[in-house]
Amino acid sequence: MSFLVDFVAGHNWVWPLCEILHFLGLTLLVGIVGLIDLRLIGIASNVPLADLYRLVPWALWGFLICLLTGVIFLLGNPVQVPSDVLIKTTFQLKMIFILIGGTNALFLLGLEHDSIQGRTKDDAISPARPQKIVAIISLFCWLSVVYLGRMLPYGDSFYFVFHW
Amino acid sequence: MELLIWLEGGTVATWVRESLSLWAFPTLIALHALGMAGSVGLSMAICLLILRSVDTFPISRVESFFNFIWLALGVNFVSGGLLLVANATELLILPVFYIKLFFVLCSAWILLRLNNIVLLSATVAEESGCRSRLRPLALTLLGCWIASVAAGRLTAYPSLFLG
């Protein structure tokens, strides 16, 4: 991966561009998933779920943009080796929340497919409690991903949680 | 410049900038990111909904989501304000910071217009009339948010502009 490190180090626009794309990807992903989760929790309960689920492919594009730029951050960083990032608790927690949130997104994809095929219940009916719980967990996971991602540069300074 | 130094010298600004606590700069920057995910993310989702929805989609029903967007924008405003006063001498000399502010204000104005149109489209007949006004606004809002996110990120790289 030294070619990637050399490329990033040799072009001062690469890292900022990747950060911009990473932020845009996450707003797309978190925005669409957040909208669907809010709907599943019961906000704007008269909005047809089928129409919201049609946005899921856009959320997937957001995820792919984040994944690609995230790999560049991990493998192409000229000042930090990947192992230094991988051992951070903050990074590991972020990956765990992405895994849980991603699993939930697959669940939503299944719901989208069923909805478009017309096999779900009437959209006007409030989602069942399990769906509401999944939506709350999903919202928490993706907001945690944003929070932990932003905390990455500050390392595992959990000591400072108690320091004012 | 003296005004900027005065801004940075306040108790809160000093605490935000110099404290080693996670609750200072790191938390504010994280709140700013969360606010961005909420305001920009939900806005973009609604814009895509407007642009891609069929003519029978009940636009008026998305009104409740705007409350969350305004809440997230409020978080951005407060966190952004505190981050600004803590780093006034660095940020207020950057042209890209003013570009970001410009696009954020444009986005907020378009969002307000979208919110008002959605509120007004209470019947199906009104919705079809509103739809023609909503789509150009949604497209413009998407562009403004993309520009503000890009400009906001670039404020972290003053060397790109100042040499």
Side-chain angles (χ1 to χ4, degrees), chain A residues 48-84:
Chain A
L49 275 168
D51 290 300
L52 296 185
Y53 288 145
R54 285 195 180 91
L55 297 179
V56 169
W58 288 90
L60 283 177
W61 276 111
F63 180 78
L64 285 172
I65 291 168
C66 284
L67 180 65
L68 180 66
T69 49
V71 167
I72 293 173
F73 291 147
L74 185 64
L75 300 179
N77 193 332
V79 298
Q80 201 171 30
V81 293
S83 55
D84 287 346

PDB file of all heavy atoms in Angstrom, chain A residues 48-84:
ATOM      1  N   PRO A  48     -46.140   7.169   3.351  1.00  0.00           N
ATOM      2  CA  PRO A  48     -46.021   5.771   2.869  1.00  0.00           C
ATOM      3  C   PRO A  48     -44.588   5.256   2.981  1.00  0.00           C
ATOM      4  O   PRO A  48     -43.660   5.867   2.459  1.00  0.00           O
ATOM      5  CB  PRO A  48     -46.456   5.865   1.410  1.00  0.00           C
ATOM      6  CG  PRO A  48     -47.238   7.121   1.302  1.00  0.00           C
ATOM      7  CD  PRO A  48     -46.648   8.062   2.304  1.00  0.00           C
ATOM      8  N   LEU A  49     -44.424   4.127   3.660  1.00  0.00           N
ATOM      9  CA  LEU A  49     -43.089   3.546   3.842  1.00  0.00           C
ATOM     10  C   LEU A  49     -42.463   3.140   2.506  1.00  0.00           C
ATOM     11  O   LEU A  49     -41.254   3.264   2.333  1.00  0.00           O
ATOM     12  CB  LEU A  49     -43.173   2.323   4.751  1.00  0.00           C
ATOM     13  CG  LEU A  49     -43.130   2.618   6.251  1.00  0.00           C
ATOM     14  CD1 LEU A  49     -43.507   1.373   7.038  1.00  0.00           C
ATOM     15  CD2 LEU A  49     -41.758   3.115   6.662  1.00  0.00           C
ATOM     16  N   ALA A  50     -43.293   2.683   1.575  1.00  0.00           N
ATOM     17  CA  ALA A  50     -42.760   2.222   0.286  1.00  0.00           C
ATOM     18  C   ALA A  50     -41.967   3.331  -0.404  1.00  0.00           C
ATOM     19  O   ALA A  50     -40.923   3.090  -1.013  1.00  0.00           O
ATOM     20  CB  ALA A  50     -43.889   1.731  -0.598  1.00  0.00           C
ATOM     21  N   ASP A  51     -42.453   4.574  -0.306  1.00  0.00           N
ATOM     22  CA  ASP A  51     -41.754   5.692  -0.938  1.00  0.00           C
ATOM     23  C   ASP A  51     -40.422   5.993  -0.243  1.00  0.00           C
ATOM     24  O   ASP A  51     -39.447   6.370  -0.880  1.00  0.00           O
ATOM     25  CB  ASP A  51     -42.640   6.943  -0.931  1.00  0.00           C
ATOM     26  CG  ASP A  51     -43.816   6.811  -1.889  1.00  0.00           C
ATOM     27  OD1 ASP A  51     -43.572   6.641  -3.093  1.00  0.00           O
ATOM     28  OD2 ASP A  51     -44.965   6.844  -1.419  1.00  0.00           O
ATOM     29  N   LEU A  52     -40.399   5.819   1.084  1.00  0.00           N
ATOM     30  CA  LEU A  52     -39.151   6.046   1.809  1.00  0.00           C
ATOM     31  C   LEU A  52     -38.131   4.951   1.491  1.00  0.00           C
ATOM     32  O   LEU A  52     -36.940   5.220   1.339  1.00  0.00           O
ATOM     33  CB  LEU A  52     -39.406   6.091   3.315  1.00  0.00           C
ATOM     34  CG  LEU A  52     -40.281   7.240   3.836  1.00  0.00           C
ATOM     35  CD1 LEU A  52     -40.324   7.217   5.362  1.00  0.00           C
ATOM     36  CD2 LEU A  52     -39.782   8.588   3.355  1.00  0.00           C
ATOM     37  N   TYR A  53     -38.616   3.725   1.383  1.00  0.00           N
ATOM     38  CA  TYR A  53     -37.703   2.613   1.107  1.00  0.00           C
ATOM     39  C   TYR A  53     -37.041   2.749  -0.258  1.00  0.00           C
ATOM     40  O   TYR A  53     -35.955   2.206  -0.480  1.00  0.00           O
ATOM     41  CB  TYR A  53     -38.441   1.271   1.192  1.00  0.00           C
ATOM     42  CG  TYR A  53     -38.816   0.869   2.605  1.00  0.00           C
ATOM     43  CD1 TYR A  53     -40.007   0.189   2.858  1.00  0.00           C
ATOM     44  CD2 TYR A  53     -37.988   1.160   3.669  1.00  0.00           C
ATOM     45  CE1 TYR A  53     -40.358  -0.176   4.147  1.00  0.00           C
ATOM     46  CE2 TYR A  53     -38.339   0.795   4.959  1.00  0.00           C
ATOM     47  CZ  TYR A  53     -39.526   0.129   5.198  1.00  0.00           C
ATOM     48  OH  TYR A  53     -39.877  -0.229   6.468  1.00  0.00           O
ATOM     49  N   ARG A  54     -37.687   3.478  -1.187  1.00  0.00           N
ATOM     50  CA  ARG A  54     -37.082   3.684  -2.509  1.00  0.00           C
ATOM     51  C   ARG A  54     -35.797   4.495  -2.426  1.00  0.00           C
ATOM     52  O   ARG A  54     -35.021   4.521  -3.381  1.00  0.00           O
ATOM     53  CB  ARG A  54     -38.073   4.371  -3.445  1.00  0.00           C
ATOM     54  CG  ARG A  54     -39.155   3.458  -3.940  1.00  0.00           C
ATOM     55  CD  ARG A  54     -39.891   4.052  -5.142  1.00  0.00           C
ATOM     56  NE  ARG A  54     -40.925   3.131  -5.590  1.00  0.00           N
ATOM     57  CZ  ARG A  54     -42.180   3.147  -5.167  1.00  0.00           C
ATOM     58  NH1 ARG A  54     -42.571   4.067  -4.306  1.00  0.00           N
ATOM     59  NH2 ARG A  54     -43.046   2.257  -5.595  1.00  0.00           N
ATOM     60  N   LEU A  55     -35.564   5.157  -1.290  1.00  0.00           N
ATOM     61  CA  LEU A  55     -34.330   5.936  -1.124  1.00  0.00           C
ATOM     62  C   LEU A  55     -33.162   5.077  -0.642  1.00  0.00           C
ATOM     63  O   LEU A  55     -32.021   5.543  -0.608  1.00  0.00           O
ATOM     64  CB  LEU A  55     -34.555   7.064  -0.104  1.00  0.00           C
ATOM     65  CG  LEU A  55     -35.600   8.120  -0.468  1.00  0.00           C
ATOM     66  CD1 LEU A  55     -35.709   9.129   0.667  1.00  0.00           C
ATOM     67  CD2 LEU A  55     -35.236   8.820  -1.763  1.00  0.00           C
ATOM     68  N   VAL A  56     -33.444   3.832  -0.239  1.00  0.00           N
ATOM     69  CA  VAL A  56     -32.398   2.978   0.340  1.00  0.00           C
ATOM     70  C   VAL A  56     -31.176   2.810  -0.578  1.00  0.00           C
ATOM     71  O   VAL A  56     -30.036   2.866  -0.103  1.00  0.00           O
ATOM     72  CB  VAL A  56     -32.989   1.602   0.756  1.00  0.00           C
ATOM     73  CG1 VAL A  56     -31.877   0.616   1.098  1.00  0.00           C
ATOM     74  CG2 VAL A  56     -33.914   1.778   1.955  1.00  0.00           C
ATOM     75  N   PRO A  57     -31.360   2.633  -1.906  1.00  0.00           N
ATOM     76  CA  PRO A  57     -30.167   2.547  -2.771  1.00  0.00           C
ATOM     77  C   PRO A  57     -29.260   3.770  -2.654  1.00  0.00           C
ATOM     78  O   PRO A  57     -28.032   3.654  -2.734  1.00  0.00           O
ATOM     79  CB  PRO A  57     -30.765   2.430  -4.173  1.00  0.00           C
ATOM     80  CG  PRO A  57     -32.093   1.788  -3.961  1.00  0.00           C
ATOM     81  CD  PRO A  57     -32.598   2.342  -2.663  1.00  0.00           C
ATOM     82  N   TRP A  58     -29.838   4.956  -2.453  1.00  0.00           N
ATOM     83  CA  TRP A  58     -29.023   6.158  -2.278  1.00  0.00           C
ATOM     84  C   TRP A  58     -28.209   6.060  -0.980  1.00  0.00           C
ATOM     85  O   TRP A  58     -27.057   6.473  -0.913  1.00  0.00           O
ATOM     86  CB  TRP A  58     -29.901   7.412  -2.229  1.00  0.00           C
ATOM     87  CG  TRP A  58     -30.476   7.767  -3.554  1.00  0.00           C
ATOM     88  CD1 TRP A  58     -31.665   7.344  -4.083  1.00  0.00           C
ATOM     89  CD2 TRP A  58     -29.887   8.612  -4.537  1.00  0.00           C
ATOM     90  NE1 TRP A  58     -31.855   7.868  -5.334  1.00  0.00           N
ATOM     91  CE2 TRP A  58     -30.787   8.658  -5.640  1.00  0.00           C
ATOM     92  CE3 TRP A  58     -28.701   9.343  -4.599  1.00  0.00           C
ATOM     93  CZ2 TRP A  58     -30.519   9.409  -6.773  1.00  0.00           C
ATOM     94  CZ3 TRP A  58     -28.432  10.096  -5.736  1.00  0.00           C
ATOM     95  CH2 TRP A  58     -29.338  10.116  -6.803  1.00  0.00           C
ATOM     96  N   ALA A  59     -28.838   5.499   0.065  1.00  0.00           N
ATOM     97  CA  ALA A  59     -28.128   5.300   1.335  1.00  0.00           C
ATOM     98  C   ALA A  59     -26.963   4.341   1.136  1.00  0.00           C
ATOM     99  O   ALA A  59     -25.888   4.515   1.722  1.00  0.00           O
ATOM    100  CB  ALA A  59     -29.082   4.768   2.403  1.00  0.00           C
ATOM    101  N   LEU A  60     -27.183   3.325   0.309  1.00  0.00           N
ATOM    102  CA  LEU A  60     -26.104   2.373   0.020  1.00  0.00           C
ATOM    103  C   LEU A  60     -24.946   3.054  -0.696  1.00  0.00           C
ATOM    104  O   LEU A  60     -23.779   2.769  -0.411  1.00  0.00           O
ATOM    105  CB  LEU A  60     -26.634   1.224  -0.835  1.00  0.00           C
ATOM    106  CG  LEU A  60     -27.447   0.162  -0.092  1.00  0.00           C
ATOM    107  CD1 LEU A  60     -27.977  -0.880  -1.067  1.00  0.00           C
ATOM    108  CD2 LEU A  60     -26.614  -0.511   0.983  1.00  0.00           C
ATOM    109  N   TRP A  61     -25.262   3.957  -1.627  1.00  0.00           N
ATOM    110  CA  TRP A  61     -24.203   4.726  -2.288  1.00  0.00           C
ATOM    111  C   TRP A  61     -23.421   5.547  -1.256  1.00  0.00           C
ATOM    112  O   TRP A  61     -22.195   5.635  -1.318  1.00  0.00           O
ATOM    113  CB  TRP A  61     -24.790   5.650  -3.364  1.00  0.00           C
ATOM    114  CG  TRP A  61     -25.016   4.962  -4.670  1.00  0.00           C
ATOM    115  CD1 TRP A  61     -26.207   4.658  -5.258  1.00  0.00           C
ATOM    116  CD2 TRP A  61     -24.005   4.476  -5.561  1.00  0.00           C
ATOM    117  NE1 TRP A  61     -26.010   4.016  -6.450  1.00  0.00           N
ATOM    118  CE2 TRP A  61     -24.663   3.885  -6.671  1.00  0.00           C
ATOM    119  CE3 TRP A  61     -22.605   4.478  -5.534  1.00  0.00           C
ATOM    120  CZ2 TRP A  61     -23.980   3.314  -7.727  1.00  0.00           C
ATOM    121  CZ3 TRP A  61     -21.911   3.893  -6.604  1.00  0.00           C
ATOM    122  CH2 TRP A  61     -22.607   3.328  -7.673  1.00  0.00           C
ATOM    123  N   GLY A  62     -24.151   6.138  -0.317  1.00  0.00           N
ATOM    124  CA  GLY A  62     -23.489   6.894   0.743  1.00  0.00           C
ATOM    125  C   GLY A  62     -22.548   6.012   1.540  1.00  0.00           C
ATOM    126  O   GLY A  62     -21.417   6.394   1.848  1.00  0.00           O
ATOM    127  N   PHE A  63     -23.017   4.803   1.857  1.00  0.00           N
ATOM    128  CA  PHE A  63     -22.179   3.860   2.595  1.00  0.00           C
ATOM    129  C   PHE A  63     -20.935   3.480   1.794  1.00  0.00           C
ATOM    130  O   PHE A  63     -19.822   3.427   2.329  1.00  0.00           O
ATOM    131  CB  PHE A  63     -22.983   2.604   2.938  1.00  0.00           C
ATOM    132  CG  PHE A  63     -22.198   1.577   3.711  1.00  0.00           C
ATOM    133  CD1 PHE A  63     -21.970   1.739   5.067  1.00  0.00           C
ATOM    134  CD2 PHE A  63     -21.653   0.470   3.078  1.00  0.00           C
ATOM    135  CE1 PHE A  63     -21.225   0.806   5.780  1.00  0.00           C
ATOM    136  CE2 PHE A  63     -20.917  -0.461   3.789  1.00  0.00           C
ATOM    137  CZ  PHE A  63     -20.697  -0.294   5.141  1.00  0.00           C
ATOM    138  N   LEU A  64     -21.100   3.237   0.507  1.00  0.00           N
ATOM    139  CA  LEU A  64     -19.955   2.844  -0.328  1.00  0.00           C
ATOM    140  C   LEU A  64     -18.917   3.970  -0.424  1.00  0.00           C
ATOM    141  O   LEU A  64     -17.709   3.718  -0.387  1.00  0.00           O
ATOM    142  CB  LEU A  64     -20.431   2.447  -1.729  1.00  0.00           C
ATOM    143  CG  LEU A  64     -21.112   1.086  -1.807  1.00  0.00           C
ATOM    144  CD1 LEU A  64     -21.721   0.862  -3.188  1.00  0.00           C
ATOM    145  CD2 LEU A  64     -20.142  -0.037  -1.479  1.00  0.00           C
ATOM    146  N   ILE A  65     -19.411   5.207  -0.521  1.00  0.00           N
ATOM    147  CA  ILE A  65     -18.489   6.356  -0.556  1.00  0.00           C
ATOM    148  C   ILE A  65     -17.701   6.418   0.748  1.00  0.00           C
ATOM    149  O   ILE A  65     -16.488   6.629   0.762  1.00  0.00           O
ATOM    150  CB  ILE A  65     -19.264   7.670  -0.788  1.00  0.00           C
ATOM    151  CG1 ILE A  65     -19.830   7.693  -2.210  1.00  0.00           C
ATOM    152  CG2 ILE A  65     -18.366   8.883  -0.560  1.00  0.00           C
ATOM    153  CD1 ILE A  65     -20.840   8.809  -2.448  1.00  0.00           C
ATOM    154  N   CYS A  66     -18.412   6.223   1.871  1.00  0.00           N
ATOM    155  CA  CYS A  66     -17.743   6.243   3.182  1.00  0.00           C
ATOM    156  C   CYS A  66     -16.739   5.099   3.296  1.00  0.00           C
ATOM    157  O   CYS A  66     -15.638   5.278   3.837  1.00  0.00           O
ATOM    158  CB  CYS A  66     -18.776   6.115   4.304  1.00  0.00           C
ATOM    159  SG  CYS A  66     -19.676   7.625   4.607  1.00  0.00           S
ATOM    160  N   LEU A  67     -17.122   3.934   2.784  1.00  0.00           N
ATOM    161  CA  LEU A  67     -16.233   2.775   2.871  1.00  0.00           C
ATOM    162  C   LEU A  67     -14.947   3.006   2.076  1.00  0.00           C
ATOM    163  O   LEU A  67     -13.837   2.796   2.577  1.00  0.00           O
ATOM    164  CB  LEU A  67     -16.969   1.544   2.337  1.00  0.00           C
ATOM    165  CG  LEU A  67     -16.200   0.214   2.356  1.00  0.00           C
ATOM    166  CD1 LEU A  67     -15.896  -0.218   3.781  1.00  0.00           C
ATOM    167  CD2 LEU A  67     -17.004  -0.882   1.641  1.00  0.00           C
ATOM    168  N   LEU A  68     -15.101   3.500   0.858  1.00  0.00           N
ATOM    169  CA  LEU A  68     -13.940   3.729  -0.005  1.00  0.00           C
ATOM    170  C   LEU A  68     -13.006   4.776   0.589  1.00  0.00           C
ATOM    171  O   LEU A  68     -11.793   4.573   0.688  1.00  0.00           O
ATOM    172  CB  LEU A  68     -14.417   4.167  -1.393  1.00  0.00           C
ATOM    173  CG  LEU A  68     -13.338   4.442  -2.426  1.00  0.00           C
ATOM    174  CD1 LEU A  68     -12.584   3.166  -2.775  1.00  0.00           C
ATOM    175  CD2 LEU A  68     -13.935   5.036  -3.706  1.00  0.00           C
ATOM    176  N   THR A  69     -13.564   5.890   1.009  1.00  0.00           N
ATOM    177  CA  THR A  69     -12.734   6.952   1.586  1.00  0.00           C
ATOM    178  C   THR A  69     -12.170   6.510   2.940  1.00  0.00           C
ATOM    179  O   THR A  69     -11.046   6.870   3.287  1.00  0.00           O
ATOM    180  CB  THR A  69     -13.521   8.255   1.744  1.00  0.00           C
ATOM    181  OG1 THR A  69     -14.773   7.983   2.396  1.00  0.00           O
ATOM    182  CG2 THR A  69     -13.810   8.885   0.393  1.00  0.00           C
ATOM    183  N   GLY A  70     -12.922   5.715   3.680  1.00  0.00           N
ATOM    184  CA  GLY A  70     -12.424   5.194   4.953  1.00  0.00           C
ATOM    185  C   GLY A  70     -11.212   4.297   4.761  1.00  0.00           C
ATOM    186  O   GLY A  70     -10.254   4.356   5.541  1.00  0.00           O
ATOM    187  N   VAL A  71     -11.250   3.481   3.729  1.00  0.00           N
ATOM    188  CA  VAL A  71     -10.098   2.618   3.427  1.00  0.00           C
ATOM    189  C   VAL A  71      -8.876   3.475   3.075  1.00  0.00           C
ATOM    190  O   VAL A  71      -7.745   3.172   3.477  1.00  0.00           O
ATOM    191  CB  VAL A  71     -10.445   1.647   2.278  1.00  0.00           C
ATOM    192  CG1 VAL A  71      -9.197   0.964   1.732  1.00  0.00           C
ATOM    193  CG2 VAL A  71     -11.433   0.593   2.765  1.00  0.00           C
ATOM    194  N   ILE A  72      -9.106   4.551   2.325  1.00  0.00           N
ATOM    195  CA  ILE A  72      -7.994   5.457   1.976  1.00  0.00           C
ATOM    196  C   ILE A  72      -7.421   6.097   3.238  1.00  0.00           C
ATOM    197  O   ILE A  72      -6.206   6.211   3.397  1.00  0.00           O
ATOM    198  CB  ILE A  72      -8.457   6.531   0.970  1.00  0.00           C
ATOM    199  CG1 ILE A  72      -8.797   5.875  -0.363  1.00  0.00           C
ATOM    200  CG2 ILE A  72      -7.381   7.612   0.786  1.00  0.00           C
ATOM    201  CD1 ILE A  72      -9.416   6.802  -1.384  1.00  0.00           C
ATOM    202  N   PHE A  73      -8.290   6.502   4.174  1.00  0.00           N
ATOM    203  CA  PHE A  73      -7.822   7.090   5.433  1.00  0.00           C
ATOM    204  C   PHE A  73      -6.964   6.087   6.204  1.00  0.00           C
ATOM    205  O   PHE A  73      -5.943   6.437   6.789  1.00  0.00           O
ATOM    206  CB  PHE A  73      -8.996   7.499   6.321  1.00  0.00           C
ATOM    207  CG  PHE A  73      -9.799   8.656   5.813  1.00  0.00           C
ATOM    208  CD1 PHE A  73     -11.154   8.734   6.040  1.00  0.00           C
ATOM    209  CD2 PHE A  73      -9.192   9.686   5.086  1.00  0.00           C
ATOM    210  CE1 PHE A  73     -11.903   9.798   5.558  1.00  0.00           C
ATOM    211  CE2 PHE A  73      -9.933  10.750   4.602  1.00  0.00           C
ATOM    212  CZ  PHE A  73     -11.294  10.802   4.837  1.00  0.00           C
ATOM    213  N   LEU A  74      -7.408   4.818   6.196  1.00  0.00           N
ATOM    214  CA  LEU A  74      -6.725   3.790   6.988  1.00  0.00           C
ATOM    215  C   LEU A  74      -5.400   3.378   6.350  1.00  0.00           C
ATOM    216  O   LEU A  74      -4.373   3.303   7.018  1.00  0.00           O
ATOM    217  CB  LEU A  74      -7.639   2.572   7.126  1.00  0.00           C
ATOM    218  CG  LEU A  74      -7.154   1.436   8.027  1.00  0.00           C
ATOM    219  CD1 LEU A  74      -7.034   1.911   9.467  1.00  0.00           C
ATOM    220  CD2 LEU A  74      -8.099   0.240   7.949  1.00  0.00           C
ATOM    221  N   LEU A  75      -5.434   3.144   5.033  1.00  0.00           N
ATOM    222  CA  LEU A  75      -4.255   2.585   4.373  1.00  0.00           C
ATOM    223  C   LEU A  75      -3.347   3.627   3.729  1.00  0.00           C
ATOM    224  O   LEU A  75      -2.199   3.332   3.423  1.00  0.00           O
ATOM    225  CB  LEU A  75      -4.689   1.572   3.300  1.00  0.00           C
ATOM    226  CG  LEU A  75      -5.504   0.378   3.799  1.00  0.00           C
ATOM    227  CD1 LEU A  75      -5.896  -0.530   2.634  1.00  0.00           C
ATOM    228  CD2 LEU A  75      -4.730  -0.428   4.833  1.00  0.00           C
ATOM    229  N   GLY A  76      -3.880   4.838   3.512  1.00  0.00           N
ATOM    230  CA  GLY A  76      -3.091   5.835   2.796  1.00  0.00           C
ATOM    231  C   GLY A  76      -2.590   6.978   3.664  1.00  0.00           C
ATOM    232  O   GLY A  76      -2.077   7.968   3.149  1.00  0.00           O
ATOM    233  N   ASN A  77      -2.736   6.839   4.980  1.00  0.00           N
ATOM    234  CA  ASN A  77      -2.311   7.908   5.883  1.00  0.00           C
ATOM    235  C   ASN A  77      -0.784   7.992   5.933  1.00  0.00           C
ATOM    236  O   ASN A  77      -0.135   7.027   6.339  1.00  0.00           O
ATOM    237  CB  ASN A  77      -2.878   7.641   7.281  1.00  0.00           C
ATOM    238  CG  ASN A  77      -2.770   8.834   8.206  1.00  0.00           C
ATOM    239  OD1 ASN A  77      -1.877   9.666   8.054  1.00  0.00           O
ATOM    240  ND2 ASN A  77      -3.669   8.923   9.161  1.00  0.00           N
ATOM    241  N   PRO A  78      -0.216   9.126   5.530  1.00  0.00           N
ATOM    242  CA  PRO A  78       1.244   9.216   5.508  1.00  0.00           C
ATOM    243  C   PRO A  78       1.883   9.409   6.879  1.00  0.00           C
ATOM    244  O   PRO A  78       3.095   9.283   7.015  1.00  0.00           O
ATOM    245  CB  PRO A  78       1.500  10.430   4.604  1.00  0.00           C
ATOM    246  CG  PRO A  78       0.247  11.213   4.617  1.00  0.00           C
ATOM    247  CD  PRO A  78      -0.873  10.308   4.967  1.00  0.00           C
ATOM    248  N   VAL A  79       1.082   9.722   7.910  1.00  0.00           N
ATOM    249  CA  VAL A  79       1.671   9.985   9.234  1.00  0.00           C
ATOM    250  C   VAL A  79       1.288   8.941  10.289  1.00  0.00           C
ATOM    251  O   VAL A  79       1.781   8.990  11.407  1.00  0.00           O
ATOM    252  CB  VAL A  79       1.309  11.395   9.757  1.00  0.00           C
ATOM    253  CG1 VAL A  79       1.862  12.461   8.848  1.00  0.00           C
ATOM    254  CG2 VAL A  79      -0.193  11.544   9.925  1.00  0.00           C
ATOM    255  N   GLN A  80       0.402   8.012   9.919  1.00  0.00           N
ATOM    256  CA  GLN A  80      -0.036   7.026  10.909  1.00  0.00           C
ATOM    257  C   GLN A  80      -0.205   5.672  10.215  1.00  0.00           C
ATOM    258  O   GLN A  80      -0.900   5.574   9.210  1.00  0.00           O
ATOM    259  CB  GLN A  80      -1.371   7.475  11.504  1.00  0.00           C
ATOM    260  CG  GLN A  80      -1.701   6.867  12.840  1.00  0.00           C
ATOM    261  CD  GLN A  80      -2.932   7.513  13.481  1.00  0.00           C
ATOM    262  OE1 GLN A  80      -3.834   7.974  12.781  1.00  0.00           O
ATOM    263  NE2 GLN A  80      -2.976   7.536  14.795  1.00  0.00           N
ATOM    264  N   VAL A  81       0.409   4.625  10.778  1.00  0.00           N
ATOM    265  CA  VAL A  81       0.268   3.294  10.184  1.00  0.00           C
ATOM    266  C   VAL A  81      -1.083   2.712  10.575  1.00  0.00           C
ATOM    267  O   VAL A  81      -1.627   3.062  11.635  1.00  0.00           O
ATOM    268  CB  VAL A  81       1.409   2.341  10.615  1.00  0.00           C
ATOM    269  CG1 VAL A  81       2.729   2.818  10.032  1.00  0.00           C
ATOM    270  CG2 VAL A  81       1.497   2.224  12.126  1.00  0.00           C
ATOM    271  N   PRO A  82      -1.659   1.818   9.741  1.00  0.00           N
ATOM    272  CA  PRO A  82      -2.986   1.257  10.024  1.00  0.00           C
ATOM    273  C   PRO A  82      -3.106   0.629  11.403  1.00  0.00           C
ATOM    274  O   PRO A  82      -4.138   0.783  12.062  1.00  0.00           O
ATOM    275  CB  PRO A  82      -3.167   0.209   8.921  1.00  0.00           C
ATOM    276  CG  PRO A  82      -2.344   0.714   7.798  1.00  0.00           C
ATOM    277  CD  PRO A  82      -1.163   1.375   8.421  1.00  0.00           C
ATOM    278  N   SER A  83      -2.057  -0.040  11.868  1.00  0.00           N
ATOM    279  CA  SER A  83      -2.155  -0.723  13.162  1.00  0.00           C
ATOM    280  C   SER A  83      -2.403   0.265  14.303  1.00  0.00           C
ATOM    281  O   SER A  83      -3.068  -0.068  15.284  1.00  0.00           O
ATOM    282  CB  SER A  83      -0.886  -1.536  13.429  1.00  0.00           C
ATOM    283  OG  SER A  83       0.253  -0.704  13.344  1.00  0.00           O
ATOM    284  N   ASP A  84      -1.862   1.494  14.169  1.00  0.00           N
ATOM    285  CA  ASP A  84      -2.088   2.507  15.213  1.00  0.00           C
ATOM    286  C   ASP A  84      -3.559   2.892  15.318  1.00  0.00           C
ATOM    287  O   ASP A  84      -4.032   3.280  16.381  1.00  0.00           O
ATOM    288  CB  ASP A  84      -1.260   3.763  14.927  1.00  0.00           C
ATOM    289  CG  ASP A  84       0.217   3.541  15.188  1.00  0.00           C
ATOM    290  OD1 ASP A  84       0.546   2.524  15.836  1.00  0.00           O
ATOM    291  OD2 ASP A  84       1.033   4.365  14.738  1.00  0.00           O
TER     292      ASP A  84
END
